[in-house]
Amino acid sequence: WVLPRISVGLTHTNNSLQASTTPESDNILELSPGVHAVFNTARVRGDFDYSLTAIHFGNNTQADSTQQALDAYANIDLWGNRVFLDLAGVIDQQSISAFGTQSADTNRNANLTQQTRFLVSPYYRGGLTKGTELEARYTHSIARSDAQERSDYSQQGMTVVLRNRREQGQRLGWNLLIVMSAVEDSGYLARAAF
């Protein structure tokens, strides 16, 4: 199902610039259209929520801005309940610094930035032999920020899990986990393999 929505908000403040010396009153208009969709079919399961918020100041128009919000996830069965693809995306507002201004007012907080994160992860899950199961997953994720103070990063990884299929009443089992990953953080490359 798909559910569109729209919200409108009007705020009157006597200190629109949050200044202690020369407060100015202003009217702030927020217009936020969005859509929420849920997918639940035999091959695709997921959730998608997106909104775009336009913020307009009546007197101080140089403070006008737009903000996006996204929270999306999908799991796609590519082949016979064995090969899958996970997709995820998030766009939100995050603090630039833990020591900066902390405020719930996202309209006028200079310590907030928009951060975008996306993930793609194909994987195989199924029986390897009669008594063993295998899951092999590749993951690629990226994160980008509008603020220069926050670093962007890209991460790639491979995970392989090999385990025995435990029969009913079997008390012991075994599990082998192999993880490899590489992270690139604004030009710095760090690799770790376990």
Side-chain angles (χ1 to χ4, degrees):
W1 53 266
V2 177
L3 180 66
R5 67 180 182 275
I6 189 164
S7 65
V8 178
L10 180 62
T11 303
H12 177 76
T13 177
N14 62 359
N15 191 1
S16 65
L17 302 177
Q18 294 183 337
S20 60
T21 56
T22 57
E24 289 184 27
S25 64
D26 206 344
N27 293 310
I28 304 167
L29 175 67
E30 287 188 40
L31 179 64
S32 184
V35 64
H36 186 174
V38 175
F39 306 97
N40 193 7
T41 67
R43 298 185 67 138
V44 178
R45 292 190 178 108
D47 191 87
F48 176 88
D49 191 276
Y50 176 80
S51 65
L52 176 65
T53 302
I55 302 165
H56 173 69
F57 288 74
N59 296 329
N60 184 20
T61 57
Q62 69 265 24
D64 289 359
S65 64
T66 58
Q67 298 173 354
Q68 297 183 73
L70 171 70
D71 189 4
Y73 171 78
N75 176 266
I76 303 168
D77 182 351
L78 296 175
W79 179 64
N81 207 26
R82 291 182 182 267
V83 179
F84 300 91
L85 177 64
D86 283 345
L87 302 169
V90 174
I91 301 174
D92 59 7
Q93 304 292 316
Q94 294 200 350
S95 295
I96 297 170
S97 170
F99 304 107
T101 303
Q102 303 297 317
S103 170
D105 185 357
T106 59
N107 297 334
R108 298 169 286 162
N109 188 346
N111 190 38
L112 286 180
T113 185
Q114 182 169 282
Q115 186 168 29
T116 305
R117 299 177 303 280
F118 291 106
L119 174 135
V120 176
S121 183
Y123 63 99
Y124 169 85
R125 181 175 58 210
L128 188 61
T129 64
K130 183 178 179 183
T132 59
E133 293 179 346
L134 171 70
E135 181 173 323
R137 176 184 292 266
Y138 169 78
T139 302
H140 182 82
S141 62
I142 60 170
R144 302 288 182 258
S145 174
D146 288 347
Q148 292 179 336
E149 298 88 352
R150 300 276 308 248
S151 60
D152 298 339
Y153 73 86
S154 174
Q155 180 174 5
Q156 298 181 57
M158 182 73 178
T159 305
V160 178
V161 180
L162 187 63
R163 68 176 69 89
N164 72 316
R165 285 189 183 154
R166 292 176 55 181
E167 302 295 331
Q168 187 173 359
Q170 183 180 356
R171 294 182 182 212
L172 293 177
W174 57 270
N175 195 3
L176 175 64
L177 172 67
I178 301 169
V179 178
M180 297 173 288
S181 67
V183 178
E184 184 176 351
D185 184 356
S186 295
Y188 172 74
L189 184 63
R191 295 185 187 275
F194 319 118

